[in-house]
Amino acid sequence: MGRWYRWAVVALLSGAYFFHQADRAIFGVLLPYVQADLSLTDRQLGHINTVLFLTIAVVTFVAGFLGDRFSRKWIITGSLVFWSIATMGLGFASSFTAVILLRSVATGGGESFYGPSAMSLLASHHRETRSLAFSIHQAALYAGLMLSGVLALKALGLVGSWHGVFVVFGAAGLLLGIAFIWLLKDGDAGPSGRRAEGAGSLLDGFKAFFGCPSALLATTGFIAICCVNNTYITWAPKMFHERFGLDGATAGAHAMFYHHLVAFAAILLGGWVTDRLVVRYPRFRLGFQIVALLLGAPALLLVGRCGTFAAAMAMTAAYGLFRGLFEVNTHASVFDVVPARHRASVVGFMLLLAMGLGALFSGELMGWVFSSFGDRAYSIAFSLMAATYALAALMMSVSFFFTFRRDRIGE
């Protein structure tokens, strides 16, 4: 493979990650229309999130195991094609059951196979430039979330209904998936499709993750990020719609665009800075994440308490800034303390924990909050999100001061 192919991998996977997040985010953007058309209750919306994240948690565990053993190209390509077809199918949903099956089970299950293999493939191509490569890839997530509202609004105007929007987004992802058959390469796969490097047993991967205190402590931050981000994506458009009187698509566009625009800029800058400082200060990644969580907590607290639209937008932008600075090193900080041969399995374990707890947090807990506390629900919800950030920062600090030096693995 050519010298520049490692950046071609970043570009290709960034395109896939764009649709990975856009296909998920447009559900929140179109939620007012879906809820009204299908007569869904807030508790049912909570159940949709619960099943989605439980599906991701369970399937990602399997995906991580397979990603360390088989061709990552075909796992990634198959994942993209499958979730895109499921997204198209969601455009034909006509009941709560259909939404559960197509969004929570099919789309969630398809997306689950992407992360472990994608992060492992990126890490294998980048070492000195790992934070920058991860940050560009993560920026694609923000682009998907940021533009989902704007694009959904434009598509809604063109096709006339929320049904058609899902079909359009899914079809675009499907075309990219077909292109991956020829464009994406997996240099570690042999003729049989199996990986050339030895990954060991599932028990070895389990020990590498759960037997490493620093990996577990770093994962608490990832859990907090997932719980909060998934809550924001689902419920923030609804908040702007109900609190400030915006129509559904406009509320979704505002909730997604400015927050993710700031996060997009922060993660690109943070990746560049991290790659230069982590060589001299190995704990820089970890400390950078801790500070981002501590500064992001008050921003989250204020989002739910702002009385004006302008103030709420400013706080969502501040939350986006610190979210972006954290996510520069979401996986890189864990990869610092686990062997390379277990990376896909470790990402699977991380997502198993994050999405499992995220299902309870953003699905059941938030569904109960929004159906029980009326006008106070938003301030309560964002207070819980802020507390989650603060608790994760405390847990990661234990690694920073006590365990990271001992657990760090050199490459």
Side-chain angles (χ1 to χ4, degrees):
M1 294 183 188
R3 176 182 175 184
W4 293 102
Y5 185 72
R6 61 177 180 165
W7 294 109
V9 170
V10 174
L12 291 169
L13 294 182
S14 294
Y17 211 25
F18 174 90
F19 286 107
H20 185 285
Q21 293 301 310
D23 287 0
R24 188 182 299 179
I26 57 171
F27 185 81
V29 173
L30 299 173
L31 189 59
Y33 304 101
V34 177
Q35 184 175 18
D37 196 15
L38 303 184
S39 301
L40 303 178
T41 67
D42 285 346
R43 291 308 299 271
Q44 286 179 315
L45 296 181
H47 295 328
I48 291 170
N49 259 10
T50 299
V51 176
L52 171 66
F53 298 127
L54 286 177
T55 298
I56 293 173
V58 173
V59 178
T60 302
F61 172 77
V62 177
F65 178 79
L66 296 177
D68 279 330
R69 288 155 181 83
F70 296 95
S71 170
R72 292 169 295 199
K73 166 188 173 169
W74 292 111
I75 293 175
I76 292 167
T77 302
S79 172
L80 174 56
V81 168
F82 188 87
W83 91 60
S84 297
I85 292 174
T87 299
M88 293 176 67
L90 187 57
F92 299 94
S94 58
S95 67
F96 170 68
T97 301
V99 173
I100 284 279
L101 292 176
L102 289 166
R103 171 173 164 78
S104 302
V105 178
T107 302
E111 290 175 349
S112 299
F113 277 90
Y114 175 80
S117 290
M119 301 312 299
S120 176
L121 187 60
L122 278 177
S124 69
H125 282 282
H126 294 270
R127 186 172 62 181
E128 296 85 359
T129 54
R130 184 169 296 164
S131 287
L132 181 58
F134 280 8
S135 67
I136 293 172
H137 181 255
Q138 191 71 12
L141 175 149
Y142 295 148
L145 295 172
M146 176 175 63
L147 297 176
S148 60
V150 176
L151 294 176
L153 186 60
K154 294 292 185 182
L156 190 63
L158 291 174
V159 300
S161 72
W162 62 266
H163 302 274
V165 177
F166 284 113
V167 174
V168 169
F169 271 72
L174 177 60
L175 291 175
L176 180 62
I178 294 172
F180 269 31
I181 296 173
W182 293 276
L183 298 178
L184 189 64
K185 308 294 182 184
D186 191 340
D188 294 328
S192 68
R194 290 184 175 273
R195 297 279 300 284
E197 59 194 37
S201 67
L202 178 61
L203 181 60
D204 290 334
F206 186 90
K207 290 178 179 177
F209 180 66
F210 288 99
C212 179
S214 296
L216 293 174
L217 291 167
T219 300
T220 62
F222 181 55
I223 292 170
I225 287 288
C226 286
C227 288
V228 171
N229 290 353
N230 290 332
T231 300
Y232 182 86
I233 290 170
T234 302
W235 299 102
K238 184 175 171 66
M239 181 184 79
F240 285 110
H241 169 63
E242 293 181 353
R243 179 174 286 184
F244 303 114
L246 302 176
D247 68 82
T250 302
H254 281 89
M256 295 298 173
F257 185 81
Y258 298 105
H259 164 77
H260 291 104
L261 177 64
V262 175
F264 181 92
I267 199 169
L268 292 178
L269 176 62
W272 182 83
V273 169
T274 298
D275 279 334
R276 278 149 184 78
L277 293 179
V278 76
V279 176
R280 296 179 59 187
Y281 308 103
R283 291 187 296 169
F284 181 80
R285 294 191 213 275
L286 201 56
F288 203 43
Q289 290 181 300
I290 293 167
V291 171
L293 289 173
L294 290 175
L295 295 177
L300 281 166
L301 183 68
L302 291 172
V303 170
R305 298 172 183 268
C306 290
T308 66
F309 174 71
M313 292 305 301
M315 288 302 100
T316 59
Y319 156 48
L321 170 64
F322 300 119
R323 170 189 174 177
L325 294 179
F326 179 95
E327 290 190 340
V328 169
N329 292 301
T330 297
H331 295 92
S333 61
V334 178
F335 289 173
D336 280 342
V337 294
V338 298
R341 65 184 180 277
H342 297 306
R343 282 174 180 153
S345 295
V346 165
V347 173
F349 290 132
M350 290 171 66
L351 286 165
L352 172 65
L353 295 175
M355 291 302 176
L357 293 173
L360 299 177
F361 187 91
S362 64
E364 295 306 301
L365 177 59
M366 290 302 166
W368 173 73
V369 167
F370 283 103
S371 64
S372 302
F373 292 96
D375 293 339
R376 294 188 299 147
Y378 292 113
S379 62
I380 293 172
F382 279 92
S383 295
L384 290 171
M385 293 157 73
T388 301
Y389 260 37
L391 178 60
L394 177 63
M395 298 297 290
M396 293 182 72
S397 296
V398 175
S399 174
F400 185 88
F401 290 109
F402 299 108
T403 67
F404 181 82
R405 285 192 181 97
R406 181 195 67 202
D407 293 337
R408 181 170 177 261
I409 295 175
E411 291 189 70

